[in-house]
Amino acid sequence: MNYIIIGGLIGAGLLIWIISSISQIRSDIARINVNLNKTAKQVGVPDTITDELKCLLSENKKIEAVKKYRTATGLGLKEAKEYIDSLNN
């Protein structure tokens, strides 16, 4: 009986650690993307993803734009939707 409780506690701890790690990785990816975008701007690399996203928005394909941005950046749904909403303004 005690082994089941101990196993459950270890499993819960492991799950919490995994969720925390995923959150940290997403945060790191977002930070890396910000730095990459700043560097690309300084070097003069065109921002083609934003142009593609704006094109999708003009075609009323907001969900597709959010998916494309998530794929390109690795960000979560909330962050991607906020960014796409900011392009709409």
Side-chain angles (χ1 to χ4, degrees), residues 14-62:
L14 184 60
L15 182 62
I16 291 171
W17 177 79
I18 290 170
I19 291 170
S20 173
S21 296
I22 290 170
S23 177
Q24 181 62 44
I25 290 169
R26 283 187 173 164
S27 176
D28 290 346
I29 289 171
R31 182 181 43 78
I32 290 167
N33 278 325
V34 166
N35 289 332
L36 184 60
N37 289 337
K38 285 180 184 177
T39 303
K41 226 177 226 183
Q42 289 175 348
V43 175
V45 176
D47 186 7
T48 58
I49 187 72
T50 301
D51 294 338
E52 290 177 40
L53 297 173
K54 287 180 179 179
C55 182
L56 288 171
L57 288 173
S58 71
E59 298 170 357
N60 292 322
K61 296 181 179 178
K62 183 177 180 178

